[in-house]
mmCIF file of all heavy atoms in Angstrom:
data_model
loop_
_atom_site.group_PDB
_atom_site.id
_atom_site.type_symbol
_atom_site.label_atom_id
_atom_site.label_comp_id
_atom_site.label_asym_id
_atom_site.label_seq_id
_atom_site.Cartn_x
_atom_site.Cartn_y
_atom_site.Cartn_z
ATOM 1 N N THR A 1 -3.721 -25.312 12.749
ATOM 2 C CA THR A 1 -2.684 -24.980 11.766
ATOM 3 C C THR A 1 -3.142 -23.888 10.824
ATOM 4 O O THR A 1 -2.382 -22.918 10.566
ATOM 5 C CB THR A 1 -2.347 -26.260 10.940
ATOM 6 O OG1 THR A 1 -1.840 -27.233 11.821
ATOM 7 C CG2 THR A 1 -1.321 -25.921 9.891
ATOM 8 N N THR A 2 -4.376 -23.971 10.293
ATOM 9 C CA THR A 2 -4.799 -22.987 9.353
ATOM 10 C C THR A 2 -4.993 -21.604 9.940
ATOM 11 O O THR A 2 -4.689 -20.608 9.283
ATOM 12 C CB THR A 2 -6.132 -23.455 8.714
ATOM 13 O OG1 THR A 2 -7.135 -23.646 9.733
ATOM 14 C CG2 THR A 2 -5.944 -24.787 7.959
ATOM 15 N N MET A 3 -5.465 -21.526 11.162
ATOM 16 C CA MET A 3 -5.612 -20.211 11.798
ATOM 17 C C MET A 3 -4.246 -19.591 12.088
ATOM 18 O O MET A 3 -4.091 -18.370 12.003
ATOM 19 C CB MET A 3 -6.452 -20.327 13.075
ATOM 20 C CG MET A 3 -7.886 -20.680 12.842
ATOM 21 S SD MET A 3 -8.892 -20.796 14.372
ATOM 22 C CE MET A 3 -9.116 -19.035 14.669
ATOM 23 N N ARG A 4 -3.256 -20.395 12.426
ATOM 24 C CA ARG A 4 -1.903 -19.866 12.616
ATOM 25 C C ARG A 4 -1.368 -19.305 11.287
ATOM 26 O O ARG A 4 -0.788 -18.215 11.244
ATOM 27 C CB ARG A 4 -0.990 -20.967 13.151
ATOM 28 C CG ARG A 4 0.459 -20.523 13.383
ATOM 29 C CD ARG A 4 1.348 -21.738 13.488
ATOM 30 N NE ARG A 4 1.322 -22.486 12.288
ATOM 31 C CZ ARG A 4 1.742 -23.764 12.167
ATOM 32 N NH1 ARG A 4 2.115 -24.436 13.229
ATOM 33 N NH2 ARG A 4 1.704 -24.371 10.987
ATOM 34 N N ASN A 5 -1.555 -20.065 10.201
ATOM 35 C CA ASN A 5 -1.094 -19.602 8.886
ATOM 36 C C ASN A 5 -1.804 -18.334 8.466
ATOM 37 O O ASN A 5 -1.179 -17.395 7.929
ATOM 38 C CB ASN A 5 -1.314 -20.706 7.856
ATOM 39 C CG ASN A 5 -0.463 -21.943 8.092
ATOM 40 O OD1 ASN A 5 0.621 -21.850 8.724
ATOM 41 N ND2 ASN A 5 -0.938 -23.069 7.643
ATOM 42 N N SER A 6 -3.113 -18.257 8.715
ATOM 43 C CA SER A 6 -3.864 -17.037 8.364
ATOM 44 C C SER A 6 -3.416 -15.863 9.161
ATOM 45 O O SER A 6 -3.356 -14.726 8.666
ATOM 46 C CB SER A 6 -5.345 -17.295 8.522
ATOM 47 O OG SER A 6 -5.858 -18.121 7.514
ATOM 48 N N ALA A 7 -3.051 -16.071 10.442
ATOM 49 C CA ALA A 7 -2.558 -14.990 11.264
ATOM 50 C C ALA A 7 -1.228 -14.419 10.717
ATOM 51 O O ALA A 7 -1.035 -13.192 10.631
ATOM 52 C CB ALA A 7 -2.421 -15.439 12.708
ATOM 53 N N ILE A 8 -0.377 -15.350 10.276
ATOM 54 C CA ILE A 8 0.908 -14.929 9.690
ATOM 55 C C ILE A 8 0.650 -14.130 8.390
ATOM 56 O O ILE A 8 1.265 -13.086 8.150
ATOM 57 C CB ILE A 8 1.804 -16.127 9.450
ATOM 58 C CG1 ILE A 8 2.220 -16.771 10.763
ATOM 59 C CG2 ILE A 8 3.076 -15.691 8.691
ATOM 60 C CD1 ILE A 8 2.951 -18.088 10.627
ATOM 61 N N ILE A 9 -0.246 -14.645 7.555
ATOM 62 C CA ILE A 9 -0.530 -14.034 6.274
ATOM 63 C C ILE A 9 -1.146 -12.653 6.522
ATOM 64 O O ILE A 9 -0.786 -11.648 5.854
ATOM 65 C CB ILE A 9 -1.446 -14.924 5.433
ATOM 66 C CG1 ILE A 9 -0.723 -16.176 5.021
ATOM 67 C CG2 ILE A 9 -1.998 -14.178 4.243
ATOM 68 C CD1 ILE A 9 -1.611 -17.244 4.370
ATOM 69 N N CYS A 10 -2.090 -12.548 7.412
ATOM 70 C CA CYS A 10 -2.738 -11.257 7.702
ATOM 71 C C CYS A 10 -1.770 -10.241 8.216
ATOM 72 O O CYS A 10 -1.777 -9.056 7.792
ATOM 73 C CB CYS A 10 -3.902 -11.435 8.669
ATOM 74 S SG CYS A 10 -5.350 -12.249 8.023
ATOM 75 N N LEU A 11 -0.890 -10.652 9.137
ATOM 76 C CA LEU A 11 0.079 -9.733 9.652
ATOM 77 C C LEU A 11 1.035 -9.224 8.594
ATOM 78 O O LEU A 11 1.306 -8.012 8.472
ATOM 79 C CB LEU A 11 0.880 -10.381 10.810
ATOM 80 C CG LEU A 11 1.915 -9.500 11.515
ATOM 81 C CD1 LEU A 11 1.255 -8.320 12.174
ATOM 82 C CD2 LEU A 11 2.689 -10.329 12.547
ATOM 83 N N GLY A 12 1.542 -10.124 7.765
ATOM 84 C CA GLY A 12 2.418 -9.698 6.717
ATOM 85 C C GLY A 12 1.724 -8.863 5.648
ATOM 86 O O GLY A 12 2.297 -7.835 5.146
ATOM 87 N N ALA A 13 0.503 -9.190 5.294
ATOM 88 C CA ALA A 13 -0.248 -8.417 4.309
ATOM 89 C C ALA A 13 -0.550 -6.993 4.832
ATOM 90 O O ALA A 13 -0.418 -6.024 4.090
ATOM 91 C CB ALA A 13 -1.538 -9.109 3.939
ATOM 92 N N VAL A 14 -0.926 -6.921 6.117
ATOM 93 C CA VAL A 14 -1.251 -5.589 6.678
ATOM 94 C C VAL A 14 -0.001 -4.697 6.744
ATOM 95 O O VAL A 14 -0.053 -3.541 6.346
ATOM 96 C CB VAL A 14 -1.878 -5.764 8.083
ATOM 97 C CG1 VAL A 14 -1.915 -4.459 8.824
ATOM 98 C CG2 VAL A 14 -3.280 -6.347 7.934
ATOM 99 N N LEU A 15 1.096 -5.253 7.265
ATOM 100 C CA LEU A 15 2.327 -4.414 7.385
ATOM 101 C C LEU A 15 2.835 -3.981 6.018
ATOM 102 O O LEU A 15 3.162 -2.804 5.827
ATOM 103 C CB LEU A 15 3.386 -5.208 8.126
ATOM 104 C CG LEU A 15 3.095 -5.520 9.610
ATOM 105 C CD1 LEU A 15 4.238 -6.368 10.202
ATOM 106 C CD2 LEU A 15 2.905 -4.246 10.404
ATOM 107 N N GLY A 16 2.902 -4.895 5.072
ATOM 108 C CA GLY A 16 3.406 -4.545 3.744
ATOM 109 C C GLY A 16 2.508 -3.585 3.039
ATOM 110 O O GLY A 16 2.995 -2.604 2.394
ATOM 111 N N THR A 17 1.208 -3.824 3.071
ATOM 112 C CA THR A 17 0.255 -2.930 2.347
ATOM 113 C C THR A 17 0.269 -1.550 2.979
ATOM 114 O O THR A 17 0.207 -0.522 2.223
ATOM 115 C CB THR A 17 -1.132 -3.507 2.386
ATOM 116 O OG1 THR A 17 -1.134 -4.845 1.807
ATOM 117 C CG2 THR A 17 -2.112 -2.643 1.600
ATOM 118 N N CYS A 18 0.285 -1.441 4.271
ATOM 119 C CA CYS A 18 0.321 -0.103 4.933
ATOM 120 C C CYS A 18 1.605 0.633 4.556
ATOM 121 O O CYS A 18 1.544 1.886 4.308
ATOM 122 C CB CYS A 18 0.205 -0.271 6.424
ATOM 123 S SG CYS A 18 -1.466 -0.687 6.978
ATOM 124 N N LEU A 19 2.786 -0.066 4.465
ATOM 125 C CA LEU A 19 3.981 0.590 4.118
ATOM 126 C C LEU A 19 3.945 1.067 2.652
ATOM 127 O O LEU A 19 4.263 2.234 2.332
ATOM 128 C CB LEU A 19 5.162 -0.355 4.321
ATOM 129 C CG LEU A 19 6.561 0.185 3.968
ATOM 130 C CD1 LEU A 19 6.894 1.388 4.813
ATOM 131 C CD2 LEU A 19 7.617 -0.929 4.134
ATOM 132 N N ILE A 20 3.579 0.163 1.739
ATOM 133 C CA ILE A 20 3.558 0.513 0.306
ATOM 134 C C ILE A 20 2.520 1.605 0.047
ATOM 135 O O ILE A 20 2.805 2.622 -0.592
ATOM 136 C CB ILE A 20 3.240 -0.724 -0.521
ATOM 137 C CG1 ILE A 20 4.353 -1.733 -0.362
ATOM 138 C CG2 ILE A 20 3.066 -0.359 -1.976
ATOM 139 C CD1 ILE A 20 4.015 -3.122 -0.970
ATOM 140 N N ALA A 21 1.302 1.434 0.556
ATOM 141 C CA ALA A 21 0.237 2.377 0.281
ATOM 142 C C ALA A 21 0.508 3.715 1.023
ATOM 143 O O ALA A 21 0.160 4.793 0.482
ATOM 144 C CB ALA A 21 -1.106 1.815 0.724
ATOM 145 N N GLY A 22 1.098 3.635 2.199
ATOM 146 C CA GLY A 22 1.386 4.894 2.909
ATOM 147 C C GLY A 22 2.382 5.763 2.188
ATOM 148 O O GLY A 22 2.199 6.961 2.065
ATOM 149 N N LEU A 23 3.467 5.173 1.699
ATOM 150 C CA LEU A 23 4.479 5.920 0.965
ATOM 151 C C LEU A 23 3.917 6.475 -0.320
ATOM 152 O O LEU A 23 4.159 7.610 -0.737
ATOM 153 C CB LEU A 23 5.731 5.053 0.713
ATOM 154 C CG LEU A 23 6.492 4.602 1.928
ATOM 155 C CD1 LEU A 23 7.646 3.674 1.555
ATOM 156 C CD2 LEU A 23 7.065 5.808 2.681
ATOM 157 N N ALA A 24 3.174 5.639 -1.023
ATOM 158 C CA ALA A 24 2.596 6.101 -2.296
ATOM 159 C C ALA A 24 1.543 7.168 -2.084
ATOM 160 O O ALA A 24 1.516 8.190 -2.830
ATOM 161 C CB ALA A 24 1.940 4.918 -3.027
ATOM 162 N N ALA A 25 0.686 7.033 -1.064
ATOM 163 C CA ALA A 25 -0.304 8.065 -0.786
ATOM 164 C C ALA A 25 0.298 9.361 -0.354
ATOM 165 O O ALA A 25 -0.152 10.457 -0.727
ATOM 166 C CB ALA A 25 -1.264 7.558 0.280
ATOM 167 N N TYR A 26 1.395 9.309 0.432
ATOM 168 C CA TYR A 26 2.078 10.505 0.839
ATOM 169 C C TYR A 26 2.696 11.268 -0.360
ATOM 170 O O TYR A 26 2.582 12.446 -0.462
ATOM 171 C CB TYR A 26 3.180 10.183 1.843
ATOM 172 C CG TYR A 26 4.033 11.359 2.220
ATOM 173 C CD1 TYR A 26 3.540 12.396 3.047
ATOM 174 C CD2 TYR A 26 5.330 11.483 1.751
ATOM 175 C CE1 TYR A 26 4.324 13.489 3.373
ATOM 176 C CE2 TYR A 26 6.143 12.568 2.083
ATOM 177 C CZ TYR A 26 5.632 13.570 2.871
ATOM 178 O OH TYR A 26 6.377 14.675 3.206
ATOM 179 N N ALA A 27 3.285 10.475 -1.275
ATOM 180 C CA ALA A 27 3.859 11.072 -2.448
ATOM 181 C C ALA A 27 2.806 11.727 -3.367
ATOM 182 O O ALA A 27 2.998 12.820 -3.885
ATOM 183 C CB ALA A 27 4.670 10.038 -3.249
ATOM 184 N N LEU A 28 1.647 11.052 -3.482
ATOM 185 C CA LEU A 28 0.613 11.592 -4.360
ATOM 186 C C LEU A 28 -0.161 12.759 -3.759
ATOM 187 O O LEU A 28 -0.818 13.477 -4.468
ATOM 188 C CB LEU A 28 -0.379 10.458 -4.725
ATOM 189 C CG LEU A 28 0.204 9.339 -5.620
ATOM 190 C CD1 LEU A 28 -0.842 8.227 -5.764
ATOM 191 C CD2 LEU A 28 0.590 9.882 -6.988
ATOM 192 N N SER A 29 -0.092 12.886 -2.445
ATOM 193 C CA SER A 29 -0.890 13.946 -1.789
ATOM 194 C C SER A 29 -0.083 15.123 -1.326
ATOM 195 O O SER A 29 -0.596 16.250 -1.247
ATOM 196 C CB SER A 29 -1.620 13.349 -0.574
ATOM 197 O OG SER A 29 -0.702 12.796 0.350
ATOM 198 N N HIS A 30 1.255 14.958 -1.001
ATOM 199 C CA HIS A 30 2.032 16.048 -0.420
ATOM 200 C C HIS A 30 3.292 16.336 -1.217
ATOM 201 O O HIS A 30 4.029 17.242 -0.820
ATOM 202 C CB HIS A 30 2.418 15.715 1.013
ATOM 203 C CG HIS A 30 1.291 15.857 1.973
ATOM 204 N ND1 HIS A 30 0.291 14.885 2.093
ATOM 205 C CD2 HIS A 30 0.953 16.834 2.871
ATOM 206 C CE1 HIS A 30 -0.574 15.262 3.035
ATOM 207 N NE2 HIS A 30 -0.192 16.445 3.481
ATOM 208 N N LEU A 31 3.564 15.643 -2.278
ATOM 209 C CA LEU A 31 4.752 15.902 -3.099
ATOM 210 C C LEU A 31 4.342 16.246 -4.532
ATOM 211 O O LEU A 31 3.273 15.830 -4.997
ATOM 212 C CB LEU A 31 5.707 14.712 -3.099
ATOM 213 C CG LEU A 31 6.289 14.246 -1.752
ATOM 214 C CD1 LEU A 31 7.155 13.055 -1.930
ATOM 215 C CD2 LEU A 31 6.978 15.384 -1.036
ATOM 216 N N GLN A 32 5.187 16.981 -5.222
ATOM 217 C CA GLN A 32 4.910 17.344 -6.576
ATOM 218 C C GLN A 32 5.436 16.216 -7.502
ATOM 219 O O GLN A 32 6.527 16.240 -7.980
ATOM 220 C CB GLN A 32 5.616 18.672 -6.908
ATOM 221 C CG GLN A 32 5.152 19.862 -6.063
ATOM 222 C CD GLN A 32 3.686 20.189 -6.287
ATOM 223 O OE1 GLN A 32 3.124 20.011 -7.392
ATOM 224 N NE2 GLN A 32 3.044 20.672 -5.233
ATOM 225 N N VAL A 33 4.585 15.215 -7.670
ATOM 226 C CA VAL A 33 4.976 14.041 -8.488
ATOM 227 C C VAL A 33 4.527 14.319 -9.906
ATOM 228 O O VAL A 33 3.360 14.517 -10.181
ATOM 229 C CB VAL A 33 4.312 12.770 -7.921
ATOM 230 C CG1 VAL A 33 4.707 11.575 -8.794
ATOM 231 C CG2 VAL A 33 4.755 12.571 -6.517
ATOM 232 N N PRO A 34 5.448 14.252 -10.895
ATOM 233 C CA PRO A 34 5.060 14.426 -12.269
ATOM 234 C C PRO A 34 4.112 13.321 -12.723
ATOM 235 O O PRO A 34 4.355 12.108 -12.479
ATOM 236 C CB PRO A 34 6.386 14.372 -13.047
ATOM 237 C CG PRO A 34 7.425 14.682 -12.029
ATOM 238 C CD PRO A 34 6.916 14.105 -10.738
ATOM 239 N N GLY A 35 3.025 13.633 -13.375
ATOM 240 C CA GLY A 35 2.058 12.686 -13.852
ATOM 241 C C GLY A 35 1.287 11.974 -12.768
ATOM 242 O O GLY A 35 0.889 10.844 -12.898
ATOM 243 N N SER A 36 1.071 12.709 -11.627
ATOM 244 C CA SER A 36 0.306 12.090 -10.533
ATOM 245 C C SER A 36 -1.120 11.720 -10.912
ATOM 246 O O SER A 36 -1.661 10.733 -10.412
ATOM 247 C CB SER A 36 0.310 13.049 -9.320
ATOM 248 O OG SER A 36 -0.293 14.277 -9.653
ATOM 249 N N GLY A 37 -1.708 12.535 -11.774
ATOM 250 C CA GLY A 37 -3.064 12.232 -12.237
ATOM 251 C C GLY A 37 -3.118 10.926 -13.023
ATOM 252 O O GLY A 37 -4.060 10.128 -12.869
ATOM 253 N N ILE A 38 -2.083 10.662 -13.804
ATOM 254 C CA ILE A 38 -2.020 9.406 -14.554
ATOM 255 C C ILE A 38 -1.849 8.206 -13.587
ATOM 256 O O ILE A 38 -2.439 7.140 -13.783
ATOM 257 C CB ILE A 38 -0.881 9.429 -15.595
ATOM 258 C CG1 ILE A 38 -1.115 10.573 -16.605
ATOM 259 C CG2 ILE A 38 -0.715 8.084 -16.304
ATOM 260 C CD1 ILE A 38 0.001 10.726 -17.573
ATOM 261 N N VAL A 39 -1.022 8.424 -12.577
ATOM 262 C CA VAL A 39 -0.826 7.367 -11.552
ATOM 263 C C VAL A 39 -2.112 7.050 -10.840
ATOM 264 O O VAL A 39 -2.485 5.887 -10.643
ATOM 265 C CB VAL A 39 0.285 7.767 -10.579
ATOM 266 C CG1 VAL A 39 0.414 6.748 -9.453
ATOM 267 C CG2 VAL A 39 1.583 7.969 -11.291
ATOM 268 N N VAL A 40 -2.885 8.081 -10.488
ATOM 269 C CA VAL A 40 -4.157 7.879 -9.799
ATOM 270 C C VAL A 40 -5.134 7.116 -10.692
ATOM 271 O O VAL A 40 -5.852 6.211 -10.287
ATOM 272 C CB VAL A 40 -4.744 9.218 -9.287
ATOM 273 C CG1 VAL A 40 -6.167 9.015 -8.772
ATOM 274 C CG2 VAL A 40 -3.864 9.807 -8.242
ATOM 275 N N GLY A 41 -5.188 7.511 -11.979
ATOM 276 C CA GLY A 41 -6.045 6.805 -12.908
ATOM 277 C C GLY A 41 -5.617 5.328 -13.083
ATOM 278 O O GLY A 41 -6.476 4.413 -13.197
ATOM 279 N N TYR A 42 -4.310 5.089 -13.055
ATOM 280 C CA TYR A 42 -3.790 3.716 -13.149
ATOM 281 C C TYR A 42 -4.206 2.913 -11.925
ATOM 282 O O TYR A 42 -4.575 1.716 -12.055
ATOM 283 C CB TYR A 42 -2.269 3.730 -13.313
ATOM 284 C CG TYR A 42 -1.639 2.383 -13.302
ATOM 285 C CD1 TYR A 42 -1.704 1.556 -14.468
ATOM 286 C CD2 TYR A 42 -0.989 1.886 -12.197
ATOM 287 C CE1 TYR A 42 -1.108 0.300 -14.461
ATOM 288 C CE2 TYR A 42 -0.383 0.635 -12.189
ATOM 289 C CZ TYR A 42 -0.466 -0.151 -13.336
ATOM 290 O OH TYR A 42 0.105 -1.407 -13.344
ATOM 291 N N LEU A 43 -4.185 3.528 -10.784
ATOM 292 C CA LEU A 43 -4.608 2.853 -9.555
ATOM 293 C C LEU A 43 -6.085 2.494 -9.575
ATOM 294 O O LEU A 43 -6.508 1.413 -9.189
ATOM 295 C CB LEU A 43 -4.270 3.679 -8.337
ATOM 296 C CG LEU A 43 -2.812 3.881 -8.024
ATOM 297 C CD1 LEU A 43 -2.628 4.840 -6.838
ATOM 298 C CD2 LEU A 43 -2.107 2.551 -7.740
ATOM 299 N N PHE A 44 -6.906 3.436 -10.094
ATOM 300 C CA PHE A 44 -8.328 3.119 -10.281
ATOM 301 C C PHE A 44 -8.508 1.975 -11.246
ATOM 302 O O PHE A 44 -9.354 1.066 -10.990
ATOM 303 C CB PHE A 44 -9.077 4.369 -10.786
ATOM 304 C CG PHE A 44 -9.522 5.305 -9.727
ATOM 305 C CD1 PHE A 44 -8.964 6.545 -9.556
ATOM 306 C CD2 PHE A 44 -10.585 4.959 -8.855
ATOM 307 C CE1 PHE A 44 -9.382 7.407 -8.560
ATOM 308 C CE2 PHE A 44 -11.035 5.780 -7.883
ATOM 309 C CZ PHE A 44 -10.417 7.035 -7.730
#
């Protein structure tokens, strides 16, 4: 049971984090985002 639950959690965490982080990283690296330096500092 626990390994099945962990597999579901890992899959959901990986997909969601890659989507959120990928969009944010693309915006901070290839788009002219106002205050991008402040956003990077906030992430740190």
Side-chain angles (χ1 to χ4, degrees):
T1 300
T2 58
M3 292 182 76
R4 180 198 62 200
N5 294 334
S6 287
I8 296 173
I9 292 171
C10 287
L11 181 61
V14 166
L15 293 178
T17 303
C18 286
L19 178 62
I20 296 170
L23 294 176
Y26 173 74
L28 293 174
S29 60
H30 286 78
L31 300 179
Q32 300 296 328
V33 179
S36 58
I38 298 176
V39 175
V40 172
Y42 176 77
L43 292 176
F44 273 110

